[in-house]
Amino acid sequence: MSLNPFGRKQKDRAVPGSMRGVKRDEEIRRTVFTRRAIMYGAVQLGLFGFLASRLYQLQVVEGGRYATLAEENRVSARLIGAPRGRITDRAGTLVAGNRLNWRALLVAEQTSDVASTLENFSRIIPLTENERARVDREQRRRRRFVPTIVREFLTWEEMAHIEVNAPDLPGILIDVGTTRQYPEGENLAHMVGYVAPPSDRDLGSDPILQLPGARVGRAGIERFHENILRGRAGSVQLEVNATGRIIRELDRREGIPGQDIELSVDSELQRIVRGKIEDGTSVVVMNARNGELLAMASNPSFDPNIFNSGVSAAQWRQWTAGRSTPLINKATNGLYAPGSTFKMVVGLAGLDARVVGPGERIVCPGHLDFGDSRFHCWNRSGHGALDMRAAIKNSCDVYFYEVARRVGINRIAAMARRFGLGVDLEIDLPGVRRGLAPTREWREAQGKAWNIGDTIVHGIGQGFYLFTPLAICTMTARLATGRAVQPHLTRSIGGRPVRGTRPEDWPSMGLSDRDLRLQRDAMWAAVNEPGGTAAMGKLPGNLGMMAGKTGTTQVRRVTREQRERGFNVQNLPREWRPHALFVGYAPHDNPLYAVAVVVEHGTAGGTAAAPLARDVMVETFARFRAIS
C-alpha cells in the first residue's frame, strides 16, 4: 500500500521493466550453473578416463611384467654349488677328491646375544683371535638370518659336544658341506696343486664363487683346469617374506658336477721315486714316444691338505725361512745350466751346419787356448784325438769348445729351441719357466757385447744357459725318438682322451736320421762301453740297455790359481759344490722312457745322478712293461 498525491491509500502496481530484470538474472544464474556443471562433468570424465587408461596400462599392457615383479618379491632364486671334478692317476687312483665337511654355523637372528653365544662356543671348541675377527667381519656384512661359518672340519667328538651343549648355544647349527681331499699328500702336491678361498678378483668371474665354502685352484692341475673342474652351479627357488626370510623351498635344480680328469702320472712310481731322492733333487720320467709324464718328483714338497683349513703363520714362516723352498716345483721351475748333457745339441748344431763331420777328429791336449784365455777340459791330461762319438762317450770339453767356436752361438741356440730348451713347452701346468738359450742379440740387448769366448764356454752347457729338469727330459725324449713330443700330464677329460696320447700325434723334428743315430750311439757308449762317463747308469741285463749322458755344472767359478794348487771339489762347502745331472732313455734300440735327474750340489753326474737314474729306470720298467 502507498499514498497518492492526495493523501489517500492505494494498491501498488508491478513495473513491467523490473520483472524482465528478474527473469534475466535467473537465466544468467542457470547458464552459469550449467556451464559449471558441464565443466565439472568434463573434469570428472577426464579423471575417470585417465584412471581407466592407467588401469588398462597396468593390468593389460604391463600386467605380465608386474606379475613377474610380484612373483620375484615372493620367490628368491639362489645358486647352489656343484661338486668339484675328481682327479685320478693313470691307474684310476684318486689323487684329488671331495669329502664331507661338517661345520658349525651361526644364525644371529636366533640368538639375542651373539657375543655370549660365541663365548660359550669358544669354551667348548676354542676359537683363535683370527677366527673371532673373521666371524665378526662376516656378521657385519650379512643380514642376521644369513648363516656364518664359525668353525669347519668338525670331528665327531666336537659335534657331539656342540649337540650336548645346544641349550647354551642359541643360533649355532651343524651343517655339512664338502672340502677338497688329497690322499697322496706330498707325493703329488706339485703336480696336482691345491685349492683355496677365492680372492676379491676371483669373485667377479663366476657367481658360484660367492657361495660359502667356495674354493678355486691355486696351483698345479687344480689351477690349470679350474673351469673344467669347477662345474656349473645349480639353483633353488625359495618362498620368502618381505624381509627375505625363507618360508619354504619351492623348486631345486642340482648343479652340473665338474668333469673328472685323468693324469698320465703313476702314483706308485711317483712314491717310489720320491723315496729315493733327498732335498734339492728333482727327477722327471717321461714316455719318450708321446710325452706323457709318468713321474715328476721334487724334494722337498708340501701337504696340500693344509690349505683346506688355512695355512698358519708359523707354517708359512717355516716354508719361506729356509732355502729348501718346498712350495716350488724344482722340476718345472728350478733353473740349472745343463752342463755336458747339452753336448749332443751342440754336436747336432755342428753337423747340421756342416762345420764338423761325424768322423772328424779333434785333438784334446787338456785345454783350449784362445787369445789370452785358456779353457780347460775336465781331464787335465787330455783325451787325445777324438771323433764326435768318442767325444760324447768321454765327455771331452775341448772337442765341444772347438765345435761351438765353429758353429756360433745363434745356431746352437736355434738347435736348442728345436729340442724344447729355452722355449714355452705349453705343458698343462701354470707358471712353468721357459729357461734361457742365449743368443748374440739377447746379450747385446743388455748393452754388452758377445765375444767368441762366451761362445766357447757355451759349447759345454755352461755360461748363461738356464733350463729346467722338465726341459732337459723333453730334449732327451726328442733325441731318442726324433719326434717333437711335448710333455703333458692330462690323459683324459671327462673320460675322453686328449690329443697327444699317441706317438703319431707328434711330428718329426726334420733332422737327419744319420746325425740322430750318431748321438744315440754315443750316448749308448757313454753308459755301456768301458771308459764311458755314465757307466754307473748301466741297467741290469734283463731290462735292455740305457743310453745316457752325465753332466756336472759349476755354481762357483774355479780360478786358475785354484787349479794350479790342486783344486779338490770335495773340500768345498756343500752349497759351493757343482750340481750333478744325468739324462737317458731306454731301451736303446726301442726307446720307451726318458729320464732326467738333477741333484743340487751332487758334485758329479757320474756318481750322484747316474745311479739314481738307473734305479728310477728299473722301477719304471717294473711298473710299465707294456707301455706303447
Side-chain angles (χ1 to χ4, degrees):
M1 298 293 287
S2 61
L3 296 178
N4 60 20
F6 301 101
R8 293 179 181 176
K9 295 182 179 179
Q10 59 181 16
K11 293 182 180 180
D12 294 331
R13 295 180 178 177
V15 181
S18 61
M19 288 298 292
R20 287 194 297 270
V22 171
K23 289 180 179 179
R24 188 165 47 250
D25 292 341
E26 289 179 356
E27 289 176 359
I28 292 171
R29 285 195 296 271
R30 245 188 331 266
T31 301
V32 171
F33 176 78
T34 302
R35 288 176 180 173
R36 290 178 178 175
I38 292 172
M39 182 180 67
Y40 288 139
V43 170
Q44 289 178 342
L45 182 62
L47 287 174
F48 281 117
F50 174 76
L51 290 175
S53 66
R54 285 300 297 158
L55 287 172
Y56 178 82
Q57 179 75 18
L58 293 174
Q59 296 184 13
V60 178
V61 178
E62 297 183 3
R65 183 171 72 89
Y66 285 106
T68 301
L69 291 176
E71 184 69 11
E72 289 179 351
N73 288 334
R74 183 182 72 89
V75 178
S76 174
R78 302 183 184 183
L79 294 176
I80 54 176
R84 192 172 178 86
R86 304 182 313 151
I87 304 175
T88 65
D89 74 350
R90 64 186 302 119
T93 301
L94 185 69
V95 299
N98 305 307
R99 64 180 174 89
L100 295 180
N101 168 26
W102 294 94
R103 53 197 181 185
L105 304 180
L106 171 65
V107 182
E109 183 185 57
Q110 297 179 3
T111 176
S112 58
D113 190 344
V114 171
S116 176
T117 296
L118 290 176
E119 186 64 31
N120 292 338
F121 184 91
S122 186
R123 292 193 186 100
I124 301 169
I125 302 176
L127 297 175
T128 65
E129 291 298 325
N130 289 338
E131 289 175 320
R132 290 291 295 270
R134 176 186 56 78
V135 172
D136 292 340
R137 184 171 60 252
E138 292 183 3
Q139 283 288 304
R140 289 193 296 270
R141 292 199 312 234
R142 298 177 177 179
R143 295 186 179 184
R144 290 179 57 83
F145 57 82
V146 177
T148 299
I149 296 176
V150 179
R151 169 64 68 83
E152 293 187 284
F153 311 106
L154 296 174
T155 65
W156 285 107
E157 291 77 10
E158 289 172 332
M159 286 191 292
H161 289 158
I162 293 173
E163 295 293 348
V164 168
N165 293 274
D168 299 325
L169 300 173
I172 295 294
L173 303 175
I174 299 296
D175 180 51
V176 61
T178 61
T179 190
R180 206 61 164 164
Q181 182 181 28
Y182 301 100
E184 293 292 322
E186 295 184 359
N187 192 36
L188 293 169
H190 289 127
M191 284 182 280
V192 175
Y194 59 90
V195 295
S199 64
D200 292 339
R201 184 175 58 182
D202 296 321
L203 293 177
S205 62
D206 190 343
I208 197 174
L209 298 181
Q210 299 180 15
L211 297 174
R215 297 290 188 270
V216 295
R218 288 291 182 222
I221 290 292
E222 291 276 28
R223 178 178 173 185
F224 187 88
H225 287 307
E226 167 62 25
N227 292 334
I228 294 174
L229 290 165
R230 185 189 302 171
R232 296 171 57 185
S235 63
V236 59
Q237 288 188 332
L238 304 170
E239 185 176 3
V240 297
N241 60 16
T243 62
R245 187 176 300 116
I246 298 173
I247 298 175
R248 62 191 175 101
E249 182 178 310
L250 301 176
D251 186 33
R252 174 180 290 264
R253 186 179 64 188
E254 298 296 338
I256 300 176
Q259 297 186 64
D260 293 344
I261 291 178
E262 177 193 3
L263 302 183
S264 60
V265 70
D266 181 81
S267 299
E268 183 61 27
L269 177 63
Q270 177 80 3
R271 189 179 300 109
I272 292 171
V273 172
R274 287 198 69 248
K276 294 180 177 295
I277 63 178
E278 299 177 352
D279 285 0
T281 300
S282 51
V283 176
V284 180
V285 184
M286 183 186 297
N287 183 328
R289 295 184 174 185
N290 63 12
E292 286 184 347
L293 292 171
L294 306 178
M296 185 164 60
S298 172
N299 250 1
S301 184
F302 64 95
D303 184 359
N305 292 294
I306 294 176
F307 288 89
N308 282 326
S309 55
V311 178
S312 66
Q315 178 66 75
W316 190 259
R317 284 194 299 270
Q318 179 184 343
W319 281 343
T320 57
R323 299 176 59 183
S324 58
T325 60
L327 295 177
I328 295 178
N329 183 1
K330 296 180 183 295
T332 59
N333 291 70
L335 293 175
Y336 309 91
S340 295
T341 64
F342 189 69
K343 288 176 178 176
M344 290 79 71
V345 174
V346 177
L348 284 168
L351 293 170
D352 189 64
R354 301 183 184 279
V355 298
V356 64
E360 180 182 351
R361 292 178 175 271
I362 296 175
V363 177
C364 168
H367 59 270
L368 173 68
D369 290 326
F370 190 86
D372 296 333
S373 299
R374 169 167 287 187
F375 301 90
H376 294 270
C377 183
W378 70 268
N379 187 342
R380 297 180 185 178
S381 58
H383 291 99
L386 298 171
D387 60 11
M388 187 173 291
R389 181 183 187 277
I392 292 174
K393 169 189 171 181
N394 294 283
S395 197
C396 177
D397 294 335
V398 170
Y399 181 95
F400 288 98
Y401 288 149
E402 177 60 22
V403 173
R405 185 190 67 80
R406 295 181 188 181
V407 73
I409 190 61
N410 281 10
R411 286 178 175 173
I412 296 175
M415 185 61 69
R417 288 191 291 271
R418 294 178 72 174
F419 279 89
L421 301 171
V423 297
D424 185 1
L425 291 173
E426 300 179 1
I427 186 175
D428 41 352
L429 286 175
V432 175
R433 302 181 74 175
R434 295 180 56 173
L436 174 63
T439 61
R440 185 180 298 274
E441 291 74 20
W442 169 82
R443 188 62 169 165
E444 290 173 351
Q446 297 179 321
K448 299 180 180 179
W450 185 278
N451 56 59
I452 192 64
D454 293 326
T455 301
I456 290 173
V457 75
H458 282 76
I460 61 169
Q462 296 282 173
F464 298 112
Y465 288 127
L466 289 173
F467 303 136
T468 64
L470 175 65
I472 62 174
C473 190
T474 303
M475 172 198 75
T476 308
R478 293 184 179 186
L479 275 170
T481 63
R483 291 183 178 271
V485 297
Q486 291 280 97
H488 57 279
L489 273 169
T490 305
R491 204 161 187 241
S492 70
I493 297 176
R496 298 180 299 275
V498 300
R499 181 188 176 278
T501 57
R502 303 176 306 167
E504 53 268 27
D505 290 338
W506 306 105
S508 169
M509 294 184 64
L511 293 171
S512 165
D513 288 340
R514 182 201 65 178
D515 295 346
L516 285 171
R517 284 197 302 270
L518 173 59
Q519 308 307 311
R520 297 168 189 156
D521 187 42
M523 293 173 69
W524 173 87
V527 175
N528 298 284
E529 284 188 354
T533 56
M536 295 187 71
K538 189 174 182 179
L539 294 176
N542 62 323
L543 296 180
M545 297 183 179
M546 180 161 65
K549 184 71 188 75
T550 57
T552 303
T553 63
Q554 297 176 356
V555 296
R556 293 177 66 90
R557 182 174 178 272
V558 180
T559 65
R560 176 175 294 186
E561 180 182 359
Q562 287 176 312
R563 293 182 184 276
E564 292 175 351
R565 288 186 306 179
F567 173 76
N568 187 349
V569 70
Q570 297 295 336
N571 295 330
L572 293 175
R574 175 175 171 78
E575 62 270 19
W576 292 1
R577 296 178 185 178
H579 298 323
L581 296 86
F582 179 89
V583 297
Y585 66 87
H588 166 62
D589 56 352
N590 183 27
L592 291 176
Y593 318 113
V595 63
V597 175
V598 176
V599 182
E600 291 182 355
H601 311 295
T603 304
T607 57
L612 177 57
R614 176 201 62 212
D615 294 344
V616 168
M617 192 64 79
V618 169
E619 297 293 345
T620 303
F621 272 103
R623 294 287 300 169
F624 300 106
R625 290 182 181 275
I627 282 186
S628 59

